Amino acid sequence: PFAVSCFQKLHKPDRTMAISHCSASTKLAWILALLLILVTTTIQVHCQSPPGFISIDCGFTNTSAYNDSITGIQFDPDSRFVEGGLSNKISAEFIAGSDEQQKTLRSFPNGSRNCYTLPSTTGTKYMLRATFTYGNYDGLNKTRDGSLFLFGLHIGVNFWEAVNMTNWDPSSTIWKEIITVAPANSVSVCLINFGSGTPFVSALELRPLQDLMYPFVNTSVSISYFRRIRFGAATDFITRFSLDPYDRFWEGWPFTYPWIPLNTSSRVRRLPGDNTFQVPEGILQGATTLDTNYSFLEISVGVGPNLDAKNLQLLPIFHFAEINSSNPSRRFDIYSNDELLFADFSPSRFQADSMHQNGRFLHNPTATFRLSKTRRSRLPPLINAFELYSLVRMDNLTTDSDDVNYIKEVTKHYNLARINWNGDPCSPREYSWEGLTCDYSKSNQNPRIVAVNLSTSGLKGGLVISFMNMVSLENLDLSHNNLTGAIPDYQIKSLKVLDLSYNQLDGPIPDSILQRSQAGLLDLRLEGNPICSKVKDTYCSNKKKKTSTVLIAVIVPVVLVSLLVVMGILWKLYWKGKSGDDEDYAMYEEETPLHIDIRRFTYAELKLITNNFQSIIGKGGFGIVYHGTLENGDEVAVKVLMETSIAESTDFLPEVQTLSKVHHKNLVTLQGYCQNKKCLALVYDFMPRGNLQQLLKGGDDYSLTWEQRLYIALDAAQGLEYLHESCTPSIVHRDVKTPNILLDKNLVGVISDFGLSRAFNDAHTHISTVAAGTLGYLDPEYHATFQLTVKTDVYSFGIVLLEIITGQSPVFMDPQTVHLPNWVRQKIAKGSIHDVVDKRLLDQYDASSLQGAVDLALNCVENAAIDRPTMTEVVSRLKTWLPAVSSDKQSTSGTPRRKYSMNTEMPKQFKLMISGVSDAESSFQSSGYTDGNGMSQATIFSGR
Ligand SMILES: *[C@@H]1O[C@H](CO)[C@@H](O)[C@H](O)[C@H]1NC(C)=O
Ligand SMILES: *[C@@H]1O[C@H](CO)[C@@H](O)[C@H](O)[C@H]1NC(C)=O
Ligand SMILES: *[C@@H]1O[C@H](CO)[C@@H](O)[C@H](O)[C@H]1NC(C)=O
Ligand SMILES: *[C@@H]1O[C@H](CO)[C@@H](O)[C@H](O)[C@H]1NC(C)=O
Ligand SMILES: *[C@@H]1O[C@H](CO)[C@@H](O)[C@H](O)[C@H]1NC(C)=O
């Protein structure tokens, strides 16, 4: 789905035609959307539970469902969705004040894992909520007896969260929510006994979402509810269905001075196509602001004692709409702790703006967020709604679904009720079903069942065929049961051991099995069955069996050992002198799904070229970057992601594919890659001078000259021009910034890090995606409209050019937070243009090219994309100040062209950022299971 070709310009479709076609389809989409709205509203009026809602009142024993008196949603008894557990009622003293669903619960005194299985559609996104009301149902006063009362929740085969009820008021209700993608045709929720109290649950609610909602949630990432607040004056403590058609819980927030509620009855709309969060209009019509004497507003979500604050990874989503009917100037900065997330934000009038960082999880141990009025603003900040989630990694895979279905058929056929045969058969490992052996060796594939031991399990009746359908099954032990009849005739492929000894089997043995047994492919055991009174073959005799087993036991190892020795010798010969590798990683190499003709490295080769991964030159979102030397002496940077998982490779493969297609002197050259179970790595040219950010910050002892700066700007501009103009479809880099501009030994600028780049069919139309990129470099228009074009890169390039001129960061304190373009504009307005120039240049620059460069940079950062130049224009304007060097000569000669004063060793710090990945992105790396506590206290501060 990601085919890029460069330098092969295709004929572009006629523009006018394309446009008229586009507007026609937009109209159609509008009509369809309107129809859909009409249809859904009618459905909601007539039928109370929308389609797809599954609502379960756990422990409810009446056989029929009921409609909840407040929401009208239909709740079903839980018996269809769970096995085991006990139905309980909360204590009489709490019944009166409780919701219907909270009056009963199901507790699980037995078994370490007990699961509910809810039907779902594979690949659909769901919100799942579990509620818990202890209500002293067991009369043991467990929440208040001084001991720990704690159990776990799994979503499918992955850890979701802990439920900690220690010291809770027994009448209180805790809720946990998760937004997740159904991995199969069912979603399971499991309660895990930690040995600190009996797990229980009061209600489960499954709500389908639209696929395009919460776009950062996918099969490997789920998000767990931490807090969801609606501001303004709300009458209910919780707002849910039917105001919110997805039945999310929105908590109302009490406000006291200096907090001031705002409400409107005017429409507050979403931009067409902005369906990411679908905050109900009724919620957006309320907001909270401050008395005008106050300047900042802080939301601090208390991190309860059961939360591991250090590892908490949070994802905030802020919802804003200006609902003050006069047209006020309201601008503010948005911070997570001390990190500026969005600078100088101004809410749109009567239009929803949902601000989030494209699924970036933040490290914020205090869970504090601040909206701070900027100096230009006349009014204090406002906020309409706020969502906060924590990361839940979905790394563990479920058992192969065929295996699951067959083993469930077996369970049903023999009416096996084993306490731990619950949830997924193989996963997670420590909860795998007793008697099963699973194969987990292929880490990116679902585990498979390879052995089933149901010896002495009281099985009665015929031998069920389901076993033989399990294509990975090698060993089946059904000895010492009461199986009767014949062995069914089936083609078994994988089975190596079939132990049916000591049963009541008396029918004939089918040829298919006999032949395999006689050919020595199957170890068949039938002794102790009536059938053995008729036949006297080896499989009916204990004795002969033993001798043959002994023989096998001797011969097989001998043969194997000699084979290994021979192979070892051959291996040594092959690798003679080449590698002193103690581990054989060749077994991990496998076919590549990438059809690209660049060198593919093995893990052993990477080990060799990096000298056993000795020299680390950078760390970033993907992992670690090592220095390496190829056989021919070329230096390379090896970007390695160890212990690969599908989740982490999502950004990696696009980068490989894009890089393998682009060839330009100002774009980093990919030498090769490594992809197998042991590693995922990119090998590209080593850039000895580090990146532009480091070089600009530099030390006090040197500075890039003005001419060098202009050349680097031209290099970067040419790299981008190539991506935009010479590739079909055009490639938008999306993350142009100084850390991503690397420098070779001759100080030639080379653009790197294509992890976020995307190709588009027509460079000049826009495609809506979620926000990406780095704060300070983000195109404001993209922010507002989520329309991504090549002009997004032009904006970021303008910021880079300003950094080159001024030596300042894109966002810095002066003394308040200021965005670089604003700072430059202010300086110029106040006085001379010379005030903006990097002091390190010591006035050694050419004044006319300075004026030109500043004009060009400010032109690139125009708010409206249409006012910005194309990269082609940027390149030609930059060239006019560098007449001395003809660009043709540059591209052909490739010889050093710059005078550079630092021929000595580059200080170490320049290499640190060579990966071109900012540290901020590292937060994706460390996983951690965090615990959002639905009832934790959120506090809101404000200040002058
Ligand atoms: C459950 O059944 C009992 C007795 O049949 C009845 O009194 C009660 O109202 C039912 N509960 C609900 C919620 O329908
Ligand atoms: C539960 O325990 C608390 C604290 O020990 C005690 O104050 C309370 O009376 C107990 N309640 C019941 C119903 O036993
Ligand atoms: C996956 O399974 C492993 C081993 O069974 C377990 O230690 C780990 O916590 C699980 N991971 C998740 C995300 O639940
Ligand atoms: C559970 O909550 C109690 C009381 O708030 C706290 O002391 C305890 O550390 C928590 N335990 C865990 C494992 O979170
Ligand atoms: C088989 O069934 C018989 C009677 O039906 C019973 O006596 C015997 O214990 C059973 N054997 C096993 C191994 O379950």
Side-chain angles (χ1 to χ4, degrees):
F2 193 76
V4 179
S5 69
C6 299
F7 272 142
Q8 294 163 20
K9 283 211 169 188
L10 297 177
H11 176 69
K12 283 204 178 130
D14 176 25
R15 274 202 85 74
T16 40
M17 262 188 63
I19 287 168
S20 62
H21 172 82
C22 171
S23 56
S25 61
T26 320
K27 261 182 213 150
L28 191 64
W30 267 100
I31 292 167
L32 281 177
L34 279 174
L35 276 176
L36 203 69
I37 291 165
L38 280 175
V39 168
T40 33
T41 11
T42 13
I43 286 174
Q44 277 166 22
V45 170
H46 292 300
C47 148
Q48 295 289 11
S49 281
F53 274 31
I54 294 176
S55 313
I56 300 170
D57 185 350
C58 304
F60 180 62
T61 47
N62 289 16
T63 47
S64 57
Y66 65 89
N67 288 342
D68 182 78
S69 57
I70 298 160
T71 58
I73 293 173
Q74 177 181 315
F75 277 82
D76 289 298
D78 64 349
S79 50
R80 277 193 293 139
F81 306 97
V82 67
E83 283 163 29
L86 305 171
S87 293
N88 303 95
K89 269 200 178 68
I90 60 171
S91 143
E93 61 187 299
F94 303 118
I95 290 266
S98 279
D99 286 345
E100 194 58 43
Q101 299 79 263
Q102 305 303 321
K103 290 178 185 166
T104 58
L105 57 95
R106 183 172 294 272
S107 63
F108 298 93
N110 298 314
S112 56
R113 174 177 71 165
N114 282 279
C115 299
Y116 276 85
T117 307
L118 315 181
S120 66
T121 308
T122 310
T124 298
K125 216 167 264 179
Y126 288 94
M127 183 201 75
L128 189 146
R129 179 168 47 234
T131 53
F132 308 86
T133 306
Y134 169 64
N136 201 16
Y137 74 89
D138 52 4
L140 296 174
N141 209 5
K142 277 299 288 181
T143 57
R144 287 282 168 82
D145 68 356
S147 65
L148 206 58
F149 186 17
L150 179 80
F151 53 89
L153 290 179
H154 281 188
I155 177 77
V157 295
N158 291 285
F159 185 76
W160 166 9
E161 207 160 87
V163 181
N164 186 353
M165 309 257 262
T166 317
N167 286 335
W168 281 88
D169 183 314
S171 68
S172 54
T173 300
I174 289 182
W175 72 87
K176 304 278 180 188
E177 269 181 26
I178 189 164
I179 297 177
T180 191
V181 172
N185 59 6
S186 66
V187 171
S188 60
V189 188
C190 306
L191 291 102
I192 309 297
N193 195 326
F194 286 158
S196 303
T198 302
F200 72 88
V201 58
S202 303
L204 288 170
E205 296 162 283
L206 187 68
R207 309 290 183 240
L209 304 178
Q210 288 179 26
D211 286 349
L212 34 75
M213 293 174 76
Y214 300 94
F216 29 80
V217 172
N218 55 41
T219 48
S220 51
V221 171
S222 296
I223 52 176
S224 181
Y225 166 95
F226 204 95
R227 199 96 220 181
R228 197 183 291 114
I229 303 172
R230 64 172 297 190
F231 292 89
T235 45
D236 298 325
F237 171 54
I238 288 172
T239 306
R240 57 180 298 190
F241 187 78
S242 58
L243 184 71
D244 185 346
Y246 301 100
D247 196 22
R248 289 166 288 192
F249 277 12
W250 298 87
E251 270 178 86
W253 206 256
F255 45 84
T256 46
Y257 182 82
W259 291 73
I260 294 167
L262 295 176
N263 276 71
T264 181
S265 51
S266 307
R267 301 293 317 263
V268 177
R269 295 169 204 271
R270 277 186 268 130
L271 277 175
D274 174 13
N275 295 318
T276 314
F277 303 108
Q278 311 204 10
V279 181
E281 186 175 16
I283 287 177
L284 292 170
Q285 282 170 329
T288 296
T289 183
L290 295 171
D291 181 294
T292 47
N293 290 326
Y294 290 77
S295 68
F296 75 86
L297 167 172
E298 197 163 87
I299 304 167
S300 184
V301 180
V303 178
N306 53 339
L307 297 179
D308 181 2
K310 278 204 302 289
N311 292 325
L312 212 51
Q313 296 198 67
L314 295 176
L315 191 147
I317 306 163
F318 305 85
H319 303 287
F320 301 108
E322 179 59 78
I323 56 171
N324 186 334
S325 47
S326 65
N327 192 4
S329 143
R330 196 194 299 277
R331 310 190 76 90
F332 47 92
D333 294 330
I334 303 170
Y335 291 89
S336 160
N337 238 355
D338 292 328
E339 184 190 349
L340 179 62
L341 299 182
F342 302 100
D344 204 23
F345 173 77
S346 176
S348 315
R349 293 190 66 226
F350 298 101
Q351 178 188 304
D353 284 317
S354 295
M355 304 297 286
H356 67 109
Q357 291 199 319
N358 186 27
R360 185 177 149 234
F361 288 88
L362 307 169
H363 181 68
N364 183 341
T366 57
T368 301
F369 302 90
R370 175 189 286 222
L371 312 181
S372 190
K373 178 179 161 186
T374 55
R375 271 197 284 174
R376 280 210 282 158
S377 179
R378 291 195 21 249
L379 291 179
L382 117 174
I383 183 165
N384 307 59
F386 177 62
E387 293 176 78
L388 185 60
Y389 296 92
S390 62
L391 171 66
V392 173
R393 282 229 179 242
M394 307 290 280
D395 290 341
N396 289 343
L397 297 174
T398 53
T399 308
D400 178 90
S401 61
D402 286 340
D403 284 1
V404 173
N405 292 337
Y406 292 129
I407 196 76
K408 286 201 170 148
E409 275 172 32
V410 168
T411 318
K412 218 168 134 194
H413 185 270
Y414 293 115
N415 210 356
L416 277 171
R418 288 205 172 175
I419 197 68
N420 96 328
W421 281 37
N422 206 311
D424 190 90
C426 298
S427 195
R429 248 182 240 222
E430 56 267 49
Y431 295 98
S432 65
W433 294 3
E434 194 189 322
L436 300 191
T437 308
C438 301
D439 176 10
Y440 305 94
S441 63
K442 303 195 181 84
S443 66
N444 55 356
Q445 284 175 24
N446 304 69
R448 307 265 347 202
I449 299 174
V450 291
V452 176
N453 180 354
L454 284 173
S455 178
T456 329
S457 296
L459 308 185
K460 288 196 191 78
L463 187 48
V464 65
I465 196 137
S466 311
F467 283 125
M468 300 305 151
N469 291 328
M470 296 167 67
V471 296
S472 296
L473 189 63
E474 292 175 1
N475 190 325
L476 178 59
D477 185 352
L478 300 174
S479 61
H480 301 278
N481 283 302
N482 261 341
L483 297 176
T484 50
I487 304 172
D489 186 3
Y490 26 51
Q491 288 299 323
I492 44 174
K493 291 182 198 79
S494 55
L495 206 58
K496 298 196 177 78
V497 180
L498 178 58
D499 191 346
L500 298 170
S501 54
Y502 302 100
N503 275 288
Q504 308 296 325
L505 298 165
D506 56 2
I509 304 166
D511 284 347
S512 56
I513 289 189
L514 264 186
Q515 279 160 10
R516 284 180 68 87
S517 166
Q518 279 155 3
L521 297 171
L522 175 70
D523 180 5
L524 178 67
R525 297 176 201 170
L526 277 172
E527 69 264 22
N529 279 286
I531 191 177
C532 285
S533 60
K534 296 169 217 160
V535 287
K536 291 272 173 280
D537 249 308
T538 49
Y539 45 80
C540 273
S541 137
N542 253 335
K543 218 171 168 196
K544 268 196 178 170
K545 167 121 277 134
K546 271 192 187 133
T547 52
S548 71
T549 325
V550 169
L551 261 182
I552 289 172
V554 173
I555 291 171
V556 170
V558 167
V559 171
L560 272 180
V561 166
S562 7
L563 258 177
L564 279 177
V565 169
V566 171
M567 277 170 62
I569 291 169
L570 287 176
W571 186 253
K572 273 265 160 63
L573 284 175
Y574 179 69
W575 282 98
K576 202 172 80 187
K578 228 178 169 183
S579 146
D581 224 356
D582 42 0
E583 254 180 293
D584 172 15
Y585 289 110
M587 58 194 278
Y588 293 110
E589 307 300 336
E590 61 194 59
E591 273 312 296
T592 167
L594 296 175
H595 301 287
I596 45 181
D597 46 324
I598 51 167
R599 175 165 172 193
R600 180 151 179 224
F601 291 83
T602 64
Y603 184 73
E605 284 169 325
L606 286 189
K607 247 183 121 171
L608 201 66
I609 65 175
T610 59
N611 194 13
N612 206 5
F613 301 106
Q614 280 209 323
S615 159
I616 295 180
I617 52 178
K619 280 185 187 165
F622 290 103
I624 298 178
V625 185
Y626 300 92
H627 179 263
T629 311
L630 293 183
E631 301 84 340
N632 63 7
D634 283 355
E635 285 183 291
V636 288
V638 182
K639 192 163 160 183
V640 180
L641 176 71
M642 301 295 277
E643 305 300 343
T644 68
S645 74
I646 298 158
E648 283 152 327
S649 64
T650 50
D651 273 351
F652 180 86
L653 293 183
E655 179 164 6
V656 179
Q657 306 224 342
T658 312
L659 276 174
S660 69
K661 297 278 170 46
V662 300
H663 302 284
H664 188 270
K665 70 188 167 70
N666 298 122
L667 299 174
V668 73
T669 306
L670 185 67
Q671 294 283 353
Y673 70 104
C674 169
Q675 189 207 15
N676 59 49
K677 232 161 287 142
K678 191 76 191 172
C679 79
L680 204 51
L682 277 178
V683 179
Y684 54 88
D685 281 353
F686 177 62
M687 294 290 141
R689 300 289 198 198
N691 72 49
L692 183 56
Q693 186 185 52
Q694 298 286 344
L695 217 52
L696 285 172
K697 289 274 166 291
D700 293 330
D701 47 342
Y702 85 97
S703 153
L704 290 173
T705 67
W706 179 245
E707 197 192 35
Q708 285 166 341
R709 291 177 194 231
L710 288 182
Y711 271 121
I712 294 171
L714 178 61
D715 291 333
Q718 284 171 339
L720 288 174
E721 183 196 14
Y722 172 87
L723 291 177
H724 292 177
E725 303 299 334
S726 300
C727 293
T728 313
S730 287
I731 295 173
V732 179
H733 185 288
R734 295 218 296 181
D735 202 15
V736 177
K737 55 182 174 183
T738 48
N740 284 343
I741 298 170
L742 311 183
L743 296 139
D744 78 359
K745 63 179 193 299
N746 300 318
L747 273 184
V748 173
V750 167
I751 294 178
S752 76
D753 207 355
F754 293 76
L756 289 171
S757 60
R758 294 289 182 272
F760 293 108
N761 284 324
D762 183 335
H764 305 287
T765 57
H766 33 254
I767 291 201
S768 203
T769 62
V770 280
T774 302
L775 185 76
Y777 293 92
L778 266 180
D779 173 1
E781 191 167 284
Y782 174 34
H783 251 319
T785 61
F786 293 111
Q787 288 173 343
L788 181 65
T789 70
V790 290
K791 293 292 183 71
T792 307
D793 284 349
V794 176
Y795 182 90
S796 309
F797 176 81
I799 302 288
V800 168
L801 188 52
L802 287 176
E803 280 183 82
I804 289 176
I805 297 166
T806 63
Q808 296 281 15
S809 305
V811 176
F812 60 100
M813 306 296 285
D814 182 45
Q816 277 204 322
T817 321
V818 51
H819 193 204
L820 185 52
N822 295 339
W823 181 82
V824 171
R825 286 187 198 111
Q826 277 165 19
K827 286 269 181 210
I828 293 175
K830 267 191 219 149
S832 149
I833 189 166
H834 299 280
D835 289 349
V836 306
V837 183
D838 192 348
K839 296 283 170 288
R840 270 170 283 205
L841 280 169
L842 305 170
D843 293 332
Q844 302 289 304
Y845 56 88
D846 161 45
S848 71
S849 61
L850 170 68
Q851 181 70 51
V854 170
D855 287 348
L856 176 60
L858 290 177
N859 201 190
C860 289
V861 298
E862 293 281 2
N863 276 334
I866 195 153
D867 297 334
R868 297 175 207 148
T870 62
M871 281 322 293
T872 310
E873 279 173 66
V874 172
V875 167
S876 65
R877 279 167 71 177
L878 279 170
K879 276 182 186 164
T880 58
W881 310 309
L882 293 167
V885 182
S886 116
S887 63
D888 295 339
K889 221 163 105 197
Q890 277 177 53
S891 49
T892 48
S893 69
T895 48
R897 62 164 195 254
R898 294 180 201 161
K899 293 170 278 181
Y900 191 65
S901 52
M902 287 180 46
N903 288 322
T904 47
E905 274 283 296
M906 226 30 190
K908 260 222 166 74
Q909 52 173 338
F910 294 124
K911 294 184 180 174
L912 275 175
M913 288 296 289
I914 195 154
S915 74
V917 181
S918 74
D919 283 332
E921 285 170 29
S922 316
S923 58
F924 280 111
Q925 279 271 301
S926 56
S927 65
Y929 306 116
T930 52
D931 179 351
N933 190 336
M935 297 294 282
S936 66
Q937 278 304 302
T939 41
I940 303 192
F941 303 106
S942 48
R944 276 167 217 269

